[in-house]
Amino acid sequence: MTTGAITVRPVPPAGSALVWLTTTDHKRIGIMYAVAAFAFFMVGGVLALLMRAELAQPGLQVMSVESYDQSFTMHGTIMMLLFGTPMVAAFANYLVPLQVGAADMVFPRLNALSFWLFLSGGIIVLSGYLTQSGPADVGWTGYAPLNEPTFSSSTGTDLWIVGLALTGIASIMGAVNFVATIFTRRAPGMSMFRMPMFTWTILVTSLLILFAFPAITAALAMLLLDRRFGASFFVPTEGGDPILWQHLFWFFGHPEVYILALPFFGILSEVIPVFSRKPLFGYRAMVLATILIGFLSMSVWAHHMFTTGVISLPFFSITSFLIAVPTGIKIFNWIATMIGGRLTFPTAMLFATGFIYLFTLGGITGVIVASAPLDFHLQDTYFVVAHMHNVLVGGSLMGMFAGLYFWFPKMTGRRLGERLGKTHFWLWTIGFVATFIPQYELGADGMPRRYVDYSPDLGWGTLNLVSTMGSLLLGLGFLAFLVNVGLTLRRAPDQPADPWGGNSLEWWTTSPPPEHDFESLPPIRSTRPVYDARIAAEQARAGPVTGES
Amino acid sequence: MRRVLALVGVRSPTEARVFQGIAALAVVVAGVYWFVSYEPAGTLLLSGFAVASGLIGLLLASAGSDGQASATGARTRDPERPLLDERGRIPSPTLAPFAVGVGAAVALLSLVFGPAPLLVGVLPFAWGAADWLRRASAELDAQEPRARAMTESAGRRDTTVAR
């Protein structure tokens, strides 16, 4: 810091497990979130491959009916809540204090507690595999009355409830920390409208978590009371209301989709300007669009409940259509940022442009299912599966990989290999298209989701086989990424503070940053303080400007 | 007057205006939702969202914070001032969060497996919580004289500027 007054924390010896168990450093906690999330991702990914193997042809070849139910439950739960949400926390932990110019989060110990609660919750969810009856089998949406003991008596479902409640509490604590850090620890000069877009998206995401997660945490507590203590919140035969579960679940569940999307919009807004050598087009419009998306995501939850017959179809259709407007603003602004820029395409930028294509496709199919008459036909078919994966795999995961390739040099001092990175990108993109585009056709043709088998007479075999082959490509793409990370980490750190010519404050400090983040800060007079400092240094090197003679 | 204007958002800092705007929109959406659906669960959820946003907005506005108040109580209205002194704010490495987190998780398993996990989990939880509180208190005690000195120094500087 310019004051030079940071207390240097006595850290246990590097490499000791104690460093990680005792850390309150936001950067280490961010890395722990990422490692834990990817460990869960691999479990969820293997489950996905097993399910795709089962569906490659009609008949039961790989799994039993029960294990298929458990697999799609755990796959959805893991990918949404034990991988996607913690990856948001990983990026936010590592980057938000750096981007606002702070030495750490405002509550470092609470930050560490959030991580340990999340990890404990995740392990409890997975520990269902150790019980005799296996893990939860109620779907990641856990609809009532299927979630009641009459239909799912397994201990795994109880562990699923306790584990998810813990991860929910961890997310709420994390969100409080992010909001407080952004509001109170910004460096002088870093006004709200000079904050990087990624930090803005984390602010809005944190607010969504604060408003949405209490609903699901309360619903899980009510469900546990139903299952273990004789309550009847969701038991229709005892005066309970199963639709109440859907309201509470989707009041969390739909914002959750944006919790998994907005931060990656933020990552794109950081990556694209750097590799276009231009400022972000329409910064204020992007901020407004982020806030509007966040707000509208809180008022569309029941578009998942069109077929229940107890909600207002026009209201939820219209609010769902409206989300396309701020989302469109973002997509047009990213394209406008690239137009006229000096574009380069390292792996991070490839993933960013891939995101724009695939996410837009997911958004368009979202408008289709937001239309109630069409949704009545497509509800609970593979069309919805394809749409959701289009948004989350084609969108969020592409954005996540863009961010990992972009900030890996900052986090480790090492740059991921470009050749393996591009192999990863093409395998992932082709794999994505092959896996999920056939599922749109299958869904439109009526193939229901969550069924372990289908009749050979329906003619779905070929498209399912293509989808399974595509999922193998996705697996190979991820393998290329893992190999890339492994090989890169074996090299000595060699990256400078700013290997890409970045704009925001994290590129000012060393790669990786010191314990207290910054030794000094540049003047912050725009949204691009590091760019401003670079230009000022270049002008100073060029010497004083002489006037006309 | 300034305080009233701040509370209704006219002179609020950006943070407060964001929440106040969200609250206003949520009120409108909750109202529209009620009149098109007469459905209580959704209306209650949207109204709760509006009330929560509004309360946060009012709290931020009444605090009058520009988001730059330091943990020591000193404010940095001057955007060109160097970064706040964070001496003593960043805690040392500690096992307390790990113990509290794992202890709480194990203790919660008693909801599924009966009282045994509660007995196992409560020990690390209690140790971690006690260690956390002890360290936090020690840090606060160490910070107080320094915060007082900083506030006094800021006060002297403001007086000089006013003259």
Side-chain angles (χ1 to χ4, degrees), chain A residues 1 9 22 109 183 185 228, chain B residues 67 83 86 91 94 112 139:
Chain A
M1 307 279 151
R9 293 182 270 193
T22 61
R109 275 182 289 246
F183 281 175
R185 304 311 305 173
R228 309 289 303 192
Chain B
L83 195 65
E86 302 209 76
T94 166
V112 181
E139 284 161 19

Side-chain angles (χ1 to χ4, degrees), chain A residues 359-434:
Chain A
F359 183 83
T360 304
L361 183 60
I364 290 168
T365 55
V367 174
I368 292 172
V369 286
S371 166
L374 292 175
D375 188 71
F376 273 81
H377 174 65
L378 298 168
Q379 167 88 16
D380 279 339
T381 69
Y382 259 82
F383 193 94
V384 176
V385 176
H387 158 67
M388 190 178 87
H389 285 82
N390 209 155
V391 171
L392 294 176
V393 180
S396 299
L397 261 169
M398 297 286 271
M400 186 183 301
F401 284 124
L404 283 170
Y405 280 92
F406 187 58
W407 280 298
F408 201 82
K410 179 55 59 186
M411 295 174 179
T412 65
R414 302 162 176 94
R415 186 168 159 179
L416 284 166
E418 279 295 306
R419 185 173 298 186
L420 269 173
K422 284 175 179 162
T423 308
H424 172 201
F425 169 76
W426 287 112
L427 281 172
W428 193 266
T429 306
I430 296 167
F432 172 84
V433 171

Side-chain angles (χ1 to χ4, degrees), chain A residues 194-231:
Chain A
R194 287 179 188 166
M195 288 197 315
M197 270 311 301
F198 176 75
T199 298
W200 260 110
T201 57
I202 290 299
L203 174 61
V204 174
T205 301
S206 301
L207 297 179
L208 288 183
I209 289 174
L210 286 180
F211 291 127
F213 269 68
I216 188 66
T217 309
L220 288 167
M222 291 155 78
L223 181 58
L224 198 66
L225 288 172
D226 273 12
R227 290 176 62 88
R228 309 289 303 192
F229 302 100

Side-chain angles (χ1 to χ4, degrees), chain A residues 256-270:
Chain A
E256 168 68 6
V257 174
Y258 288 90
I259 288 164
L260 296 183
L262 278 175
F264 304 107
F265 292 175
I267 287 176
L268 249 68
S269 302
E270 302 289 328

Side-chain angles (χ1 to χ4, degrees), chain B residues 62-104:
Chain B
S62 64
S65 163
D66 64 351
Q68 301 265 352
S70 78
T72 55
R75 289 178 188 282
T76 54
R77 296 271 180 200
D78 177 2
E80 304 307 326
R81 247 186 66 167
L83 195 65
L84 294 167
D85 188 340
E86 302 209 76
R87 197 168 359 194
R89 193 185 73 78
I90 303 175
S92 307
T94 166
L95 268 175
F98 173 75
V100 171
V102 173

Side-chain angles (χ1 to χ4, degrees), chain A residues 330-386:
Chain A
K330 281 184 173 284
I331 289 166
F332 283 120
N333 280 8
W334 290 323
I335 295 170
T337 304
M338 287 195 271
I339 291 173
R342 285 186 287 125
L343 298 176
T344 51
F345 286 94
T347 309
M349 183 66 163
L350 279 179
F351 272 107
T353 42
F355 174 106
I356 296 178
Y357 281 103
L358 296 181
F359 183 83
T360 304
L361 183 60
I364 290 168
T365 55
V367 174
I368 292 172
V369 286
S371 166
L374 292 175
D375 188 71
F376 273 81
H377 174 65
L378 298 168
Q379 167 88 16
D380 279 339
T381 69
Y382 259 82
F383 193 94
V384 176
V385 176

Side-chain angles (χ1 to χ4, degrees), chain A residues 28-54:
Chain A
R28 283 184 191 278
I29 291 171
I31 289 170
M32 290 199 296
Y33 264 114
V35 171
F38 270 109
F40 286 126
F41 175 77
M42 284 193 270
V43 178
V46 168
L47 290 174
L49 289 174
L50 286 173
M51 285 188 290
R52 281 308 327 159
E54 175 54 53

